[in-house]
Amino acid sequence: MAKSAIQKITLNQAENIPFDKLFLSQKNVRRIQNGVSLEALAIDIARRGLIQSLNVRPEMKDGEETGRYEVPAGGRRFSALQLLVKRKEMVKTAPMPCIVNRSELTSMEDDSLAENVHRENLHPLDQFRAFKTLSEQGLDVEEVAARYFVSPNTVKQRLKLANVSPKLLDLYEHDEIRLEQIMAFSISDDHARQEQVWERISDNSNMQEPYYIRRLLTETTVRADDRRAVYVGAEAYEAAGGAVLRDLFQSDDGGWLHDAALLDRLVAEKLKTVADEIAGEGWKWVEASLSFPYGHEHGLRALVGVAVDLTEEERATREALREEYDRLEAEYGDADELPDEIDARLGEIEQALDAFDQRRATYDPADIAIAGVFVSLNADGSLSVDRGYVRPEDERSPGSDGSDTDD
């Protein structure tokens, strides 16, 4: 038997139709606005032009085309174009690329539904990679954000996700890793380390939670609120070549310092600089360490220094700070939570008042010559300088200063 001929389809033809010959059909199935606003869409069309044609049908009257066209599909684009005409950014007679449907096999409602239902949303990974490509083409974060109507932080997040190991992104593409897990992996830029962590947890679903992934990726790092990091400062650490791991998807309190060895070296160098400066005061010895064991001063004699009196100006400053502190406490005493700026200001005042209370004492030069100083860090990362300790072997023998000799 002869094979029947395959019916060939004929696609709807594209035409350029003046905008003022178009009108929005009431048969568009989209009733609820969702996604990019008309304002944002109008801005995008004004910048790049109309990249998707309108789907239109000829208006019919007494079986004849009137020369006007209904827009049953592409209503949001049509409304955005109307906005541009209203603003006089586009002439109302501008030709519009349209797909003209004259078929009687489908209705306008059918056309509208098909355009919306058959549309497949972009996979998140495709968007991450597209943002990365735009960045590599020279667009900065702010420009990408402006073009696609998202915040700069959103762009940073997507660029961070696109920088995860290709092996893990491939697993995400095939639904073998969840987006929340990719977000956790994005803390580190070390692809080998990311893959190593995944291999460690891939066979145990209980270990695949995002919080555990973050813990494994940061187990050899130092928190940014660690006293060593606070003392050195993130800027100095990064200037020395250190990397800071940041979590762009949840609060990380400043992140994690990746190079613990570098940080320890910077701490030691900074403490040594302080110790050398203090040694210049004439002390016999100065010991500097991150911390000292409990009771390290046991068996040493502590010198009793003389507190330096405050100047009139310093007294006035201290009183003004105390009054401001009392006023703020009274004003916000009943508040469930202090405003950030008030909380910060109270902290500043407390530090300033503590500085007045911890003013350096003065010592007899003869005592300084036999005594020493301990330099270390407090728990909050501030410097601790504890002056005036005499070791037993450094005590002056009776009569060495002429005070206890017999006549």
Side-chain angles (χ1 to χ4, degrees), residues 154-340:
T154 296
V155 176
K156 291 178 182 178
Q157 288 177 334
R158 292 170 185 174
L159 291 175
K160 192 74 169 173
L161 292 170
N163 199 42
V164 171
S165 161
K167 178 179 178 180
L168 298 182
L169 291 180
D170 185 62
L171 293 174
Y172 171 53
E173 181 178 350
H174 293 89
D175 297 324
E176 296 179 45
I177 289 183
R178 305 191 312 274
L179 177 59
E180 293 79 7
Q181 293 168 311
I182 292 294
M183 291 162 64
F185 277 113
S186 73
I187 286 181
S188 172
D189 292 328
D190 186 340
H191 290 177
R193 178 61 179 152
Q194 292 172 355
E195 293 168 11
Q196 181 185 51
V197 168
W198 177 249
E199 288 173 5
R200 178 174 170 181
I201 67 175
S202 59
D203 293 331
N204 188 336
S205 59
N206 294 326
M207 298 172 64
Q208 295 176 16
E209 290 303 314
Y211 80 89
Y212 191 67
I213 293 172
R214 288 182 171 91
R215 182 190 300 175
L216 293 178
L217 287 170
T218 59
E219 61 185 352
T220 61
T221 64
V222 178
R223 290 296 310 233
D225 56 4
D226 182 276
R227 59 176 173 169
R228 293 169 291 170
V230 173
Y231 179 60
V232 170
E235 288 186 7
Y237 166 78
E238 291 183 282
V244 178
L245 308 185
R246 297 304 306 265
D247 191 339
L248 299 186
F249 300 94
Q250 63 180 29
S251 176
D252 63 5
D253 296 322
W256 299 262
L257 279 63
H258 183 263
D259 194 336
L262 172 62
L263 178 62
D264 287 338
R265 177 171 65 80
L266 294 175
V267 170
E269 290 174 353
K270 191 171 182 179
L271 285 174
K272 183 179 184 307
T273 299
V274 172
D276 290 344
E277 292 175 356
I278 294 174
E281 299 171 11
W283 300 98
K284 182 172 183 178
W285 53 266
V286 178
E287 288 191 13
S289 178
L290 179 63
S291 61
F292 292 101
Y294 178 77
H296 65 281
E297 75 281 10
H298 181 71
L300 307 183
R301 177 169 64 91
L303 298 178
V304 178
V306 178
V308 178
D309 290 335
L310 298 177
T311 65
E312 289 297 327
E313 182 179 354
E314 288 171 332
R315 288 195 185 95
T317 299
R318 184 177 61 179
E319 287 306 310
L321 289 171
R322 285 175 175 168
E323 290 175 3
E324 182 183 0
Y325 191 92
D326 292 342
R327 176 177 57 79
L328 291 175
E329 272 206 324
E331 183 176 350
Y332 293 93
D334 296 331
D336 294 333
E337 186 174 351
L338 292 176
D340 290 343

Side-chain angles (χ1 to χ4, degrees), residues 121-131 158 161-162 172 179:
N121 289 331
L122 194 67
H123 190 283
L125 182 55
D126 289 329
Q127 188 183 69
F128 305 158
R129 288 168 171 164
F131 275 35
R158 292 170 185 174
L161 292 170
Y172 171 53
L179 177 59

Side-chain angles (χ1 to χ4, degrees), residues 10 13 66 73 75 120 131 140 146 148 181 184 190 215 226 257 259-261 267 295 328 338-339 367-368 393 395-396:
T10 301
Q13 297 300 302
T66 66
E120 184 176 359
F131 275 35
D140 60 23
Y148 294 94
Q181 293 168 311
D190 186 340
R215 182 190 300 175
D226 182 276
L257 279 63
D259 194 336
V267 170
L328 291 175
L338 292 176
D367 286 335
I368 291 177
E393 62 269 25
E395 292 284 7
R396 290 189 294 267

Side-chain angles (χ1 to χ4, degrees), residues 133-154:
T133 298
L134 292 176
S135 177
E136 291 170 347
Q137 290 174 352
L139 294 183
D140 60 23
V141 168
E142 287 70 21
E143 177 64 18
V144 175
R147 287 193 180 190
Y148 294 94
F149 310 102
V150 295
S151 70
N153 189 57
T154 296

